[in-house]
Amino acid sequence: MTFTTKFTNQIDATHEAVVIGLWQDEKPSNSEIQSYLDHNKEFKGKAGQTLIIPANSTEQKKQIILGLGEQDDSSPLSFETIGGKLCESLKDNKTSDIAIELTSVLDSDLQAHLVYGFLLKSYSFTKYQAKAKKSALKTVSVITKEQDKAEKTFETLSAISQGVFLARDLVNEPPNILQPESYAEKIKEELKPIGVDVEVIDQKKLEKLGFEALLNVGKGSVIDSQVVVMKWNGNKKQKKSAAAPIAFVGKGVTFDTGGISLKPGAEMDLMKMDMGGSATVVGTMKALAARKANINAIGIVGLVENMPAGNAYRPGDIIGSLSGKTIEVLNTDAEGRLVLADILTYVQQQYKPSVIIDLATLTGAMMVALGFEYSGVFTNNNDLWSKLESASDNTGEKLWRMPLDKAYRKEVESNVADLKNLGASSYGGACTAAAFLEHFIEEGTTWAHFDIAGTAWWKTAKPTVPKGGTGVGVRALNNLLINHFEEK
Ligand code: BES
Ligand code: ZN
Ligand code: ZN
């Protein structure tokens, strides 16, 4: 659904329905509503609970009472959840113009977050369905006493939602449409017009530069592998030469069959989401540009398709990498770390970033450990961890710190090459994968690795996240920059 949002201090006559927010135990000022509530005892004002009072005459509009929960428990996140639930309850509605009256909510931030939750939940991916239900909703007006403040908060949130939606779209696209080449084109199309500098490094150039690890993963595919570098130079004051940018690095395996170490057939279709890390990077860059963030940031994604074929790389192969380190391939399904190894090396060589954050649907082991609830974060810097933790608070994108350890690093050393792409034991797979990446991080570089295998795709919907691609990370990373890195 696409609708416009307005913040105003007056209800005008055109709204077809009015949503009235009520705290738990709050008495409505209108006696008709009170008598309706007296007859509908199941409505308790719990956060996100709705009660529809139908229009009973031509003058009276449809009214929807919306529970806001207990005032003491309210937070931006609880208000997003309420907004998401409101959106869900209006999905099949024919209403095109609603007003949300939040006059008993004095905090304009909370008001803006309620609409943000509504917006995040309104996302759907229906472009391939001729008969997809179209929402009638055109306008959402919020009645507030602090119009300007609410609007200002919402402006930033709505810019971030554009990044979240792009990330979700990319993950939801099928693997016959979103392939390394078409994906690189799509990034150009999306980001260039809004001022992001986009450089596509095609396969020929990657060969010349020596991206051997990444190229080996894509060898079995008929589609050329690509690396895309995105630059947002929003901090104009900083001299380009002096700026050590923050870099976001994403795994973009557009389809992961496992290669010669073929995955089982059941649910292999889901491996179209193996580019989820790259989608978060592209979405984050879009959000930075949409809100004209005062920062210099680099995004880099490695786009490959992992296919079995006569010319595919095999278990047993020893391959090179851009860093010069050699790698013994023991399983062609542990491909994400090979893609990341080369783009991590490249971004350090080219841009010397002050901080690197990579995101990848890297291991099934991460899902074994944390399920679908938390993304695992491995980082070599305590300060970065505490910043990440506080930035993800209140976004619903939950993070859990995982260990980096010399012992894991040792596990991925090979007898015949510098490294191998599997841990010595089959346990702790998320940790040995992170340790493999750590071998490609230069001494002294602040780095965090997000394993989002369990959080990039959800089979069941949440209050502000429809099922399918989640766009996880776009919100937390934008908050990280806003709270800790951007010049005010
Ligand atoms: N893309 C997968 C990881 C994955 C699994 C992501 C499920 C999302 C959902 C990754 O490339 C992979 O296959 N990893 C292997 C590594 C193993 C061979 C060491 C895994 O986790 O099984
Ligand atoms: Zn794999
Ligand atoms: Zn993979």
Side-chain angles (χ1 to χ4, degrees):
M1 84 177 62
T2 39
F3 53 87
T4 46
T5 310
K6 289 184 205 154
F7 292 86
T8 141
N9 50 19
Q10 246 167 358
I11 296 197
D12 68 43
T14 58
H15 308 302
E16 290 168 36
V18 179
V19 177
I20 300 160
L22 270 192
W23 296 107
Q24 202 161 310
D25 303 323
E26 182 186 348
K27 295 266 169 280
S29 51
N30 175 319
S31 59
E32 265 176 63
I33 296 181
Q34 183 59 58
S35 77
Y36 207 84
L37 290 181
D38 290 341
H39 289 100
N40 290 275
K41 293 279 188 221
E42 74 283 7
F43 183 84
K44 304 247 186 299
K46 291 236 178 315
Q49 200 182 5
T50 49
L51 178 70
I52 297 182
I53 307 181
N56 55 12
S57 73
T58 45
E59 288 114 76
Q60 198 207 317
K61 300 173 196 308
K62 178 160 70 182
Q63 292 177 313
I64 300 158
I65 311 302
L66 174 65
L68 303 176
E70 293 197 38
Q71 205 158 350
D72 290 348
D73 294 344
S74 59
S75 67
L77 188 57
S78 77
F79 264 62
E80 285 172 21
T81 302
I82 293 168
K85 286 185 175 168
L86 175 65
C87 180
E88 182 65 28
S89 76
L90 293 176
K91 277 242 155 101
D92 298 323
N93 236 277
K94 303 267 175 319
T95 319
S96 71
D97 182 337
I98 62 164
I100 307 178
E101 201 186 278
L102 294 174
T103 36
S104 59
V105 180
L106 297 176
D107 183 341
S108 60
D109 255 16
L110 292 183
Q111 297 169 342
H113 278 274
L114 187 143
V115 194
Y116 185 40
F118 190 106
L119 177 63
L120 287 171
K121 183 64 170 192
S122 72
Y123 172 89
S124 60
F125 185 78
T126 53
K127 67 190 269 200
Y128 297 106
Q129 290 171 305
K131 286 198 189 130
K133 266 192 280 172
K134 281 230 163 66
S135 162
L137 193 62
K138 292 271 176 303
T139 316
V140 175
S141 307
V142 183
I143 319 303
T144 165
K145 288 182 189 131
E146 292 194 310
Q147 197 177 338
D148 291 351
K149 263 181 88 184
E151 219 158 56
K152 190 153 181 287
T153 307
F154 186 71
E155 204 183 351
T156 301
L157 297 175
S158 139
I160 296 173
S161 79
Q162 290 183 38
V164 175
F165 290 174
L166 174 58
R168 288 178 183 173
D169 275 347
L170 293 170
V171 175
N172 288 330
E173 283 289 350
N176 60 326
I177 302 294
L178 197 83
Q179 300 183 326
E181 290 168 346
S182 57
Y183 192 176
E185 278 305 308
K186 170 94 177 153
I187 295 173
K188 274 201 261 178
E189 250 169 56
E190 286 281 342
L191 298 186
K192 273 193 159 177
I194 55 173
V196 179
D197 183 45
V198 182
E199 180 198 357
V200 176
I201 311 176
D202 65 17
Q203 182 157 313
K204 254 208 181 123
K205 186 128 188 260
L206 293 171
E207 281 162 11
K208 268 202 206 124
L209 291 169
F211 282 65
E212 277 187 54
L214 180 144
L215 288 170
N216 263 283
V217 176
K219 244 170 65 180
S221 171
V222 295
I223 315 287
D224 278 3
S225 301
Q226 314 280 324
V227 168
V228 182
V229 182
M230 296 150 268
K231 286 180 222 148
W232 171 248
N233 286 317
N235 186 344
K236 301 282 183 225
K237 277 189 296 178
Q238 209 167 9
K239 268 201 222 111
K240 267 200 188 134
S241 55
I246 183 161
F248 301 112
V249 177
K251 168 179 173 182
V253 176
T254 59
F255 195 65
D256 183 11
T257 63
I260 297 299
S261 313
L262 193 65
K263 284 182 181 294
E267 295 200 324
M268 202 201 271
D269 56 296
L270 282 183
M271 279 303 119
K272 71 170 187 174
M273 57 77 113
D274 210 20
M275 34 55 70
S278 67
T280 300
V281 171
V282 177
T284 299
M285 299 306 286
K286 172 148 188 175
L288 292 186
R291 60 184 184 77
K292 304 203 169 33
N294 190 1
I295 194 162
N296 297 338
I298 306 269
I300 182 167
V301 293
L303 311 180
V304 302
E305 186 181 48
N306 187 18
M307 298 294 261
N311 61 341
Y313 78 140
R314 337 158 177 71
D317 285 0
I318 295 177
I319 63 175
S321 68
L322 184 62
S323 70
K325 291 186 178 164
T326 57
I327 304 163
E328 181 190 13
V329 176
L330 289 177
N331 189 317
T332 62
D333 196 14
E335 85 298 341
R337 64 198 74 185
L338 303 174
V339 173
L340 287 172
D342 277 354
I343 54 179
L344 283 167
T345 302
Y346 186 75
V347 84
Q348 290 171 96
Q349 286 178 354
Q350 289 291 310
Y351 302 104
K352 312 250 172 293
S354 55
V355 178
I356 301 178
I357 297 179
D358 81 68
L359 302 105
T361 48
L362 202 61
T363 65
M366 195 70 257
M367 297 164 77
V368 174
L370 302 179
F372 304 107
E373 220 45 59
Y374 280 79
S375 302
V377 178
F378 301 77
T379 174
N380 57 11
N381 187 292
N382 293 338
D383 182 47
L384 179 60
W385 166 246
S386 57
K387 287 174 176 158
L388 280 169
E389 199 178 25
S390 72
S392 72
D393 261 1
N394 261 320
T395 65
E397 297 181 345
K398 293 184 270 188
L399 306 181
W400 195 260
R401 190 172 183 180
M402 299 288 294
L404 288 169
D405 195 297
K406 245 196 216 145
Y408 296 125
R409 257 187 356 248
K410 194 122 192 69
E411 270 201 55
V412 293
E413 286 169 10
S414 160
N415 292 329
V416 290
D418 296 326
L419 297 169
K420 58 186 184 201
N421 76 338
L422 279 190
S425 101
S426 57
Y427 293 104
C431 305
T432 46
F436 181 91
L437 301 180
E438 201 183 4
H439 278 282
F440 296 88
I441 301 295
E442 287 162 25
E443 196 69 40
T445 303
T446 299
W447 163 69
H449 155 61
F450 281 50
D451 194 332
I452 56 170
T455 49
W457 179 273
W458 278 345
K459 282 188 190 168
T460 50
K462 291 269 176 85
T464 59
V465 188
K467 51 184 165 184
T470 60
V472 70
V474 174
R475 300 187 53 195
L477 293 179
N478 271 278
N479 277 3
L480 175 77
L481 299 186
I482 292 170
N483 297 348
H484 301 289
F485 288 88
E486 286 171 23
E487 277 181 36
K488 298 284 171 330

